[in-house]
Amino acid sequence: MENLYFVLVSTPGLFASIIRQVTGIEYCHVALAFDPDLHETYSVGRRVPSVPVIAGFVQEDAHRILQVFPTASYRVVSYPCSAEFKDRLRRKLRRCWQRRFHFHYCVLGLPFILMGRPFYQKNHFTCSSFLARVLSKNGMHLFSKHFSLVTPRDFYELPGTRLVYEGSLAGYIGRQPLLYEKRRVYEA
């Protein structure tokens, strides 16, 4: 059995504080990682961490995020999956990465989330709706609602997860790495 890692993120800022008020939790963003050290992490989010209006499909870099948001908090949880599913999903997200400029942030969908009404604009997603859709399209149906209505709170409350870390991003980056080459896990 393998694991996926859902990375819930809390950063400062006006847009983030609005999302926190709407969802009712500290975390305003969610990403998906293939390893606990976050070497390969994808989401729909800020293309440039310091500029919230330029957003789309990104491969996140925790070190760059820490430079822009030194007070960022992370909650990393693992979720079990088969090795086959993980490999299939990794290939899919790498293909999305090759087409990354075709994916955009769904600003128009935000009021629909508040109203509880599904909304889909082609290739436009929130961080959580993208993950819900890509997981579902690949056979992992985690939520009973339309993907466009999934929020970071849904990932926060997802049954079956195991807490890996919760605290400052600086603390997470500063700990001993858990994963090295060839997918072998070591504890330092």
Side-chain angles (χ1 to χ4, degrees), residues 33-41 59-60 63 177-180:
F34 287 100
D35 63 88
D37 295 320
L38 313 180
H39 293 300
E40 189 175 2
T41 305
Q59 189 168 9
E60 295 195 356
H63 294 278
L178 299 173
L179 189 69
Y180 292 95

Side-chain angles (χ1 to χ4, degrees), residues 47-67:
R47 292 189 195 279
V48 179
S50 59
V51 184
V53 294
I54 302 172
F57 188 72
V58 296
Q59 189 168 9
E60 295 195 356
D61 179 344
H63 294 278
R64 278 185 56 204
I65 293 169
L66 183 60
Q67 287 176 340

Side-chain angles (χ1 to χ4, degrees), residues 61-131:
D61 179 344
H63 294 278
R64 278 185 56 204
I65 293 169
L66 183 60
Q67 287 176 340
V68 177
F69 301 111
T71 61
S73 296
Y74 268 38
R75 177 183 173 94
V76 179
V77 298
S78 63
Y79 191 83
C81 68
S82 69
E84 296 79 16
F85 178 83
K86 187 173 183 175
D87 288 340
R88 185 172 62 245
L89 186 63
R90 178 181 273 128
R91 285 192 306 272
K92 172 65 176 171
L93 289 175
R94 286 178 177 171
R95 284 191 305 272
C96 288
W97 177 247
Q98 292 171 349
R99 300 181 57 241
R100 64 188 168 274
F101 295 109
H102 294 145
F103 298 98
H104 309 284
Y105 193 82
C106 187
V107 175
L108 290 177
L110 297 177
F112 288 88
I113 294 171
L114 289 174
M115 294 184 290
R117 298 187 64 194
F119 176 84
Y120 177 62
Q121 181 182 7
K122 185 178 180 184
N123 292 334
H124 287 69
F125 300 92
T126 63
C127 58
S128 47
S129 71
F130 178 81
L131 293 184

